[in-house]
Amino acid sequence: IRQAGFGAGIFANAQSIAADNFYRNLRWGTLYGEYSIGFLRVLGGFSLLDDQKSQPYYRVVYTQVIKRSRIMAEISFDHNPRHPYFYEDTLSRRFDSWHRARLNYQYAAGNFRGQVFLAAGKSSNEYFGSRAIYKSITLKADWEFISGWSMNTEYLNQQDTTLYLPRIGSLVKIGLKGSFYLFNQNLKLNSHLWAQGWLDRKAGFNYDILNEVPLLDSSAPQLPSQWSLNFEASAKVKSVVLSYRLMNILNIVDSFTNGLKEDQIWMRPTSFYPPLGRFITFGVAWQFQD
């Protein structure tokens, strides 16, 4: 509901989880009021989780476009049910509350596009005796040097201070995107070739795929920095979109050359799982109306 800069609303959610030794049925929601003026939007209210006491909720967003730039700044205090992994006693029926701050700056001039994204957050709950704190920075750039062809780069670094959210290191992407025609200009093929590198990874980082939480084992060996070369392409044939993706091209190249090092052809995301080779996917998407 919104009128003359004022508004109100409600978010309502329900969740049921059933496992061999765990069952949880939750309902939670947020009731808020809203006021917008100029570039500023302010939301405030409270969140409820079943019979738990209400928690305050707020979100303040500032957005402005200045010539070729767009700025978005946001602070918030929001809540979600605690992760099912922490189900001991009645803890899983409590909120997981986070103070967050975000700053997103975008710039566009001619054939260049750039973005800087900063984020930070602190949990109001304790995990393993400490409160989770994270800080991250993301840099993106895209330059179209000729019509239909562009260079793109991305850098992501995230730092965390708890065992629950261990530092994963830095992610770097450098790629080339382009489009060209086949079969006498009758078929347009969109392609993307990029290199992806994981740098400065923390020793012992792991991910529990069953409980969907990160883990940390200080006895595990340090993971080296690794790069992979990847490719994807897509084409639209009438109402059908065909797509193909190949992750880790060097794993295939080694089948012919047999001259690359093991850490160049086998990817090791964590110290606890076997190394991965190539990953190939082929997709068909059919869009139709009536």
Side-chain angles (χ1 to χ4, degrees), residues 128-149:
F128 305 106
S130 61
R131 299 183 188 275
I133 301 175
Y134 73 87
K135 294 176 289 184
S136 68
I137 178 172
T138 303
L139 307 175
K140 294 183 179 181
D142 188 285
W143 173 52
E144 186 178 18
F145 53 92
I146 59 175
S147 179
W149 289 86

Side-chain angles (χ1 to χ4, degrees), residues 21-280:
N21 60 348
F22 174 71
Y23 175 76
R24 185 171 79 172
N25 185 27
L26 293 179
R27 292 165 299 178
W28 73 97
T30 299
L31 181 64
Y32 68 92
E34 174 185 347
Y35 178 67
S36 299
I37 178 172
F39 308 110
L40 192 65
R41 183 185 179 200
V42 181
L43 295 86
F46 60 89
S47 299
L48 290 170
L49 173 61
D50 282 348
D51 54 355
Q52 183 182 333
K53 292 182 179 179
S54 63
Q55 297 287 337
Y57 160 82
Y58 68 82
R59 183 178 176 220
V60 181
V61 183
Y62 174 84
T63 305
Q64 185 175 6
V65 177
I66 305 175
K67 294 183 179 180
R68 297 170 177 168
S69 302
R70 183 180 185 272
I71 302 173
M72 191 279 289
E74 176 182 343
I75 59 172
S76 64
F77 183 50
D78 49 35
H79 318 273
N80 282 297
R82 183 169 289 198
H83 195 284
Y85 179 70
F86 304 99
Y87 61 80
E88 62 276 5
D89 298 328
T90 59
L91 294 182
S92 67
R93 302 186 68 82
R94 297 181 183 177
F95 274 129
D96 192 6
S97 303
W98 284 85
H99 294 275
R100 306 179 194 270
R102 305 179 182 91
L103 176 63
N104 190 356
Y105 175 77
Q106 300 176 13
Y107 178 80
N111 296 330
F112 176 80
R113 302 288 185 274
Q115 180 182 9
V116 179
F117 180 72
L118 306 176
K122 181 178 182 180
S123 173
S124 296
N125 308 91
E126 289 191 358
Y127 297 100
F128 305 106
S130 61
R131 299 183 188 275
I133 301 175
Y134 73 87
K135 294 176 289 184
S136 68
I137 178 172
T138 303
L139 307 175
K140 294 183 179 181
D142 188 285
W143 173 52
E144 186 178 18
F145 53 92
I146 59 175
S147 179
W149 289 86
S150 63
M151 295 285 296
N152 56 87
T153 61
E154 179 179 350
Y155 171 80
L156 165 65
N157 181 274
Q158 180 170 319
Q159 302 289 332
D160 304 295
T161 60
T162 66
L163 293 178
Y164 176 61
L165 294 171
R167 175 172 56 85
I168 61 175
S170 301
L171 172 65
V172 180
K173 294 182 180 180
I174 304 173
L176 173 67
K177 290 183 179 180
S179 302
F180 52 91
Y181 289 87
L182 301 174
F183 307 113
N184 295 325
Q185 305 291 314
N186 292 318
L187 179 65
K188 182 180 180 181
L189 186 68
N190 302 310
S191 61
H192 184 200
L193 176 68
W194 77 100
Q196 177 174 306
W198 285 103
L199 312 177
D200 190 30
R201 295 189 291 178
K202 190 175 183 66
F205 174 71
N206 189 19
Y207 189 77
D208 187 335
I209 60 175
L210 298 179
N211 294 309
E212 298 184 349
V213 293
L215 299 175
L216 187 64
D217 182 359
S218 58
S219 63
Q222 174 70 41
L223 289 170
S225 299
Q226 273 193 312
W227 287 85
S228 66
L229 187 63
N230 315 287
F231 174 77
E232 64 181 357
S234 64
K236 186 174 182 179
V237 182
K238 293 186 178 180
S239 60
V240 178
V241 177
L242 306 176
S243 61
Y244 174 84
R245 171 176 286 194
L246 169 58
M247 306 295 290
N248 194 12
I249 295 176
L250 295 182
N251 186 266
I252 295 181
V253 173
D254 184 68
S255 302
F256 301 97
T257 63
N258 197 28
L260 299 174
K261 298 179 180 179
E262 287 292 319
D263 60 354
Q264 293 177 316
I265 60 176
W266 296 98
M267 297 295 102
R268 187 177 288 276
T270 75
S271 301
F272 301 85
Y273 294 107
L276 303 176
R278 73 198 72 170
F279 182 65
I280 302 174

